[in-house]
Amino acid sequence: MRRVSADDYYENFYQSVMTKGIIGVFVGLYHKHLESKFDQSANFDRVLELGAGNCEHIYYVKHKFLEYVITDIRIEPLISGVSKMLGRTVNPDIAYSIPNSNRSILVSEVDALDLSRFTDNSFDRVIAGCLILHLEAPELALQEWRRVTKNGGQISIYVHSEPGMLLRFARVISTSLRGRRLGINHIHHVYREHKIHFLAIKNLVTDVFEDDNVKFNAFPVPKLSWNFSLWKVVQIKKSQSR
């Protein structure tokens, strides 16, 4: 089986592996889980999404917002996804109105480890989907995400339960098989990309957000151990005082 680079995988195989059939259903469930706390009555005026990929997550956002800054280190797929959503060609770092609303979306090429272009306390909500396990310096990333979030704001993070037993079994009967049909070693790709395990992330989150309200919620059973979960969503409310 062929081993692929990250760029090759996301350009040529990601859609085929992750968006179809039962795997696509579970990917949709992760997006829904990340948003399950917030309904149409919630409001976050300015939102930052990091590692947004092909512009998949925004379709699951139900709460009110005025500006949605959508970012990734790979900008072309994101531009394509947002252009499709808006029905027009978009350019980076220009705010575009979302049809039939008073809201806007802005696409930008941003490294989740370096948010220096954004000032302190500048977003009401920060969203990080399938991202944190991919980063070389996750603690630095968490510190940056906290810095740009307003006091009283919300940070939402998706974390694979890596390398939990249920997750490993699920891969064997799903993405690994689909990757094999496509001629690629999907497991090799996953464990090259996922650079840190769940317990390390949990401890980093606990340290960085020690003054904040932090809640971990597992899937498919909310209170179950990470070892018997597919993922956990971390919802953090930043302290009003710091």
Side-chain angles (χ1 to χ4, degrees):
M1 285 187 295
R2 174 183 168 193
R3 295 182 179 182
V4 296
S5 68
D7 287 341
D8 188 9
Y9 174 78
Y10 288 113
E11 182 176 350
N12 298 308
F13 297 101
Y14 174 81
Q15 294 287 337
S16 297
V17 173
M18 300 301 296
T19 65
K20 299 176 181 178
I22 190 64
I23 300 171
V25 170
F26 274 86
V27 170
L29 288 174
Y30 119 60
H31 288 292
K32 290 179 180 179
H33 192 189
L34 203 54
E35 295 300 318
S36 62
K37 183 178 178 180
F38 311 110
D39 59 21
Q40 296 177 353
S41 67
N43 182 64
F44 300 96
D45 283 348
R46 195 163 188 240
V47 179
L48 171 66
E49 184 184 348
L50 300 162
N54 298 317
C55 182
E56 298 156 329
H57 185 72
I58 192 172
Y59 292 97
Y60 296 85
V61 173
K62 303 300 182 186
H63 64 72
K64 301 180 184 72
F65 63 84
L66 293 178
E67 181 182 32
Y68 199 102
V69 180
I70 188 167
T71 71
D72 200 288
I73 199 167
R74 296 180 179 90
I75 191 69
E76 291 305 323
L78 188 54
I79 289 174
S80 176
V82 174
S83 296
K84 182 178 179 181
M85 183 185 77
L86 297 182
R88 61 179 298 183
T89 301
V90 304
N91 293 303
D93 300 313
I94 298 174
Y96 292 88
S97 296
I98 297 176
N100 304 314
S101 75
N102 63 343
R103 304 179 296 174
S104 66
I105 185 168
L106 182 147
V107 181
S108 192
E109 184 174 356
V110 172
D111 186 336
L113 293 172
D114 179 11
L115 306 185
S116 55
R117 70 175 66 185
F118 305 122
T119 59
D120 296 357
N121 307 307
S122 54
F123 291 96
D124 299 279
R125 185 180 180 208
V126 172
I127 304 169
C130 184
L131 175 63
I132 187 71
L133 270 69
H134 293 255
L135 301 178
E136 297 285 354
E139 185 170 13
L140 174 60
L142 292 170
Q143 290 168 348
E144 277 287 86
W145 302 354
R146 187 182 192 279
R147 178 185 65 79
V148 301
T149 304
K150 294 179 182 179
N151 294 344
Q154 192 80 25
I155 302 164
S156 304
I157 306 171
Y158 167 87
V159 188
H160 278 96
S161 294
E162 198 73 81
M165 289 191 293
L166 181 60
L167 179 60
R168 284 183 285 139
F169 173 73
R171 283 201 184 109
V172 168
I173 63 172
S174 60
T175 53
S176 179
L177 288 176
R178 188 165 291 174
R180 192 174 296 125
R181 294 189 191 106
L182 294 169
I184 64 170
N185 188 333
H186 186 260
I187 295 297
H188 172 84
H189 167 76
V190 166
Y191 289 114
R192 186 172 56 192
E193 283 285 291
H194 288 187
K195 306 177 189 305
I196 188 169
H197 55 77
F198 173 82
L199 291 177
I201 292 295
K202 183 177 181 180
N203 280 279
L204 291 177
V205 167
T206 301
D207 287 346
V208 172
F209 300 98
E210 61 179 340
D211 296 321
D212 307 308
N213 185 337
V214 179
K215 293 184 179 179
F216 286 80
N217 191 276
F219 181 92
V221 181
K223 300 297 182 182
L224 207 59
S225 162
W226 70 277
N227 219 2
F228 300 100
S229 303
L230 293 175
W231 64 74
K232 290 201 177 187
V233 164
V234 192
Q235 297 289 4
I236 304 160
K237 185 173 183 179
K238 184 177 175 182
S239 170
Q240 291 277 6
S241 59
R242 177 177 174 269

